[in-house]
Amino acid sequence: MTSTVPALGTRTAEGSALQAVLLDMDGTLVDTEGFWWDVEVEVFAALGHTLDETWRHVVVGGPMTRSAGFLIEATGADITLAELTTLLNDGFEDRIGRSLPLMPGAGRLLAELYEHDIPTALVSASHRRIIDRVLAALGPQHFALTVAGDEVSRTKPYPDPYLLAAAGLGADPARCAVIEDTATGVESAEAAGCRVVAVPSVAPIAQTDGRTVVSSLEEVDLAFLCSLMTEMC
């Protein structure tokens, strides 16, 4: 599956200005943010380095180039960015092959959006090889479009991934609801002009004007997402 899947016709929820829902993957739909850190710890341990727990907040939610580059610089490990990227992706694929837990409420929300024909996209900083593995568990039928971090010239925190997803679905970014779990993802979605629901996973995210923060996807349903757009109707 690629980021250039033909978009479905834009269909809105009745009585709402909501045109599409764009969802992050790691830490938002699947409980995998911890997997990435565990793999990073294991890979660097094999290289003879111990990662500082405080670095976890630096690398969470970002593109592989940023997180891997930071860890190489911080540890002084003798490994190239390309070599480390391969090791991290291999380790992560092994982890999700053994277990891939969904976040609470994720399955129910995806089913509801699908039932009501809401155009939905998966927008992740993870690479295509990872997204395609995770899609098997999430159900590819739930997404009209997927955007991978290695398929855009600038991934999160830049707005490009969310602008690409909105355009692919034929939606106005301002009428798209985005669900994210990290500050990096929130920054990306807000820069694209989307309405953001933050469900913090590893680090807290502050509530601000135009941003809604909830503790779990169990608090989010279609009516909730439509309500974010009522002031635009």
Side-chain angles (χ1 to χ4, degrees):
M1 184 174 294
T2 71
S3 62
T4 55
V5 173
L8 297 177
T10 301
R11 291 163 290 186
T12 60
E14 185 176 355
S16 169
L18 179 68
Q19 290 184 344
V21 177
L22 316 177
L23 301 117
D24 174 54
M25 188 177 76
D26 294 301
T28 298
L29 292 176
V30 288
D31 192 6
T32 50
E33 289 291 11
F35 286 11
W36 281 113
W37 178 249
D38 290 344
V39 170
E40 288 160 350
V41 168
E42 290 174 3
V43 167
F44 277 89
L47 295 171
H49 298 275
T50 300
L51 299 189
D52 190 315
E53 181 70 24
T54 62
W55 296 343
R56 182 173 183 177
H57 298 293
V58 178
V59 300
V60 67
M64 178 75 73
T65 52
R66 189 193 74 182
S67 57
F70 169 83
L71 292 174
I72 291 173
E73 183 176 353
T75 61
D78 184 19
I79 188 170
T80 67
L81 182 61
E83 291 169 338
L84 180 57
T85 296
T86 298
L87 289 177
L88 293 177
N89 277 325
D90 287 347
F92 188 78
E93 278 197 88
D94 178 66
R95 286 294 181 106
I96 63 176
R98 288 180 271 150
S99 173
L100 186 57
L102 299 186
M103 297 297 288
R108 185 263 316 149
L109 176 60
L110 289 176
E112 183 181 17
L113 296 174
Y114 182 73
E115 179 184 356
H116 289 84
D117 292 327
I118 304 300
T120 303
L122 185 67
V123 183
S124 176
S126 290
H127 289 188
R128 170 56 54 189
R129 60 181 285 196
I130 300 299
I131 288 181
D132 285 346
R133 287 289 301 274
V134 174
L135 275 174
L138 291 175
Q141 73 277 9
H142 291 124
F143 304 98
L145 184 72
T146 63
V147 177
D150 57 339
E151 295 174 342
V152 290
S153 58
R154 299 190 308 174
T155 188
K156 303 172 187 179
Y158 294 99
D160 305 37
Y162 282 111
L163 291 174
L164 178 62
L169 294 176
D172 177 353
R175 295 182 183 272
C176 293
V178 169
I179 304 179
E180 272 281 359
D181 73 302
T182 67
T184 299
V186 167
E187 182 180 348
S188 172
E190 290 181 340
C194 303
R195 303 299 294 268
V196 178
V197 178
V199 191
S201 59
V202 175
I205 297 174
Q207 179 101 28
T208 64
D209 290 341
R211 179 193 306 167
T212 303
V213 180
V214 298
S215 61
S216 168
L217 282 183
E218 292 182 318
E219 300 176 43
V220 180
D221 58 14
L222 180 55
F224 177 89
L225 295 175
C226 288
S227 72
L228 301 178
M229 306 290 166
T230 54
E231 66 188 58
M232 302 175 60
C233 296

